[in-house]
Amino acid sequence: EGSEFAVSGATRPDGGALMLAFMITRDRLSYARRCSTALMRAGLEVVVVDHGSTYPPMVRWLEWMGRYSTTTVVRMPNQHPRDLWGAGNVLERHVPVGERFVVSDCDVVPDPDCPAGWVAHLGALLDRLPSAKKAGLGLRTDNLPRHFAGRDRVIEWESQYQAVTDGGKLNYMPGDGAATVADVDTTLAMYRGLEPFALGPSLRTRLPYRALHLPWYENTAQPTDEQAYYAAHAEHGHWRAPDGYIDRHNLGGNHEVP
């Protein structure tokens, strides 16, 4: 069973509670640091949901965050990110009925050129399209390095989620050039409320509101010690076989490049 160090309760200047942001982690310390910092700087209250990390520096960081920071840390067995939406699980225990919230894998961060008001922008998109379940930052692919072995495959795959004018295959949202209607998995996104997980209908933002998917910038031939440890200790679920997990949940195949 999971355990929690609950050190939270941050508030806005007007006294209201901050929007919750759930960051999903497993052994990716450098990414978790970057993502959690970005979420906090955006004015969100971060809940770190760790899926059984064993990388010693990551374990130490989680212990420190849980004991000495204003962050809630939830320690769980290794699971698929979508298990956040399971009955009695993390989201159900933390998110008030009717409240919006943010979820992100730890390996996604806003692009350096993304405007600081990206949280408000996602909220405004949900206001303008009530049928959308969530609105997420579009993933940047125009600057992927050639030392990442999956570069060409990622660029081709992601084009189905990008507007034609951005080099993709989609038309942007009618009457509003700010987003495309495209599936969003557990990359950085704001959710309208607590309901069963679905890939869509969802919105993906266009320039300048974009995010970086950090594994796409790794040097495949020269992994860091952390990257090598992560690859060697992935166990099951999304971290090892995303296609099998998605099929088990009847979502019709893989909708995003792992």
Side-chain angles (χ1 to χ4, degrees), residues 64-83:
W64 188 94
M65 290 291 284
R67 295 182 187 278
Y68 302 112
S69 76
T70 58
T71 300
T72 298
V73 177
V74 181
R75 305 290 294 273
M76 305 293 295
N78 187 19
Q79 298 179 331
H80 190 284
R82 294 177 188 164
D83 286 328

Side-chain angles (χ1 to χ4, degrees), residues 28 31 145 147-149 214-221 223 227:
R28 296 279 208 175
Y31 294 168
H147 61 236
F148 170 55
L214 298 175
W216 296 347
Y217 299 86
E218 293 177 359
N219 188 332
T220 307
Q227 291 162 4

Side-chain angles (χ1 to χ4, degrees), residues 4 9 14 23 30 49 56 58 106 109 116 124 137 160 163 178 188 209-210 212-213 219 231 248-249:
E4 297 184 30
D14 63 5
M23 183 188 74
S30 59
V49 182
M58 181 73 180
C106 70
V109 297
L137 293 181
Q160 66 188 301
L188 184 51
Y209 293 92
R210 294 193 297 182
L212 305 179
H213 189 243
N219 188 332
R248 179 164 63 84
H249 283 254

Side-chain angles (χ1 to χ4, degrees), residues 27 29 53-63 75 229 233:
D27 290 329
L29 175 58
S53 287
T54 58
Y55 182 52
M58 181 73 180
V59 173
R60 291 194 293 271
W61 181 78
L62 290 166
E63 291 175 347
R75 305 290 294 273
Y229 185 97
H233 291 80

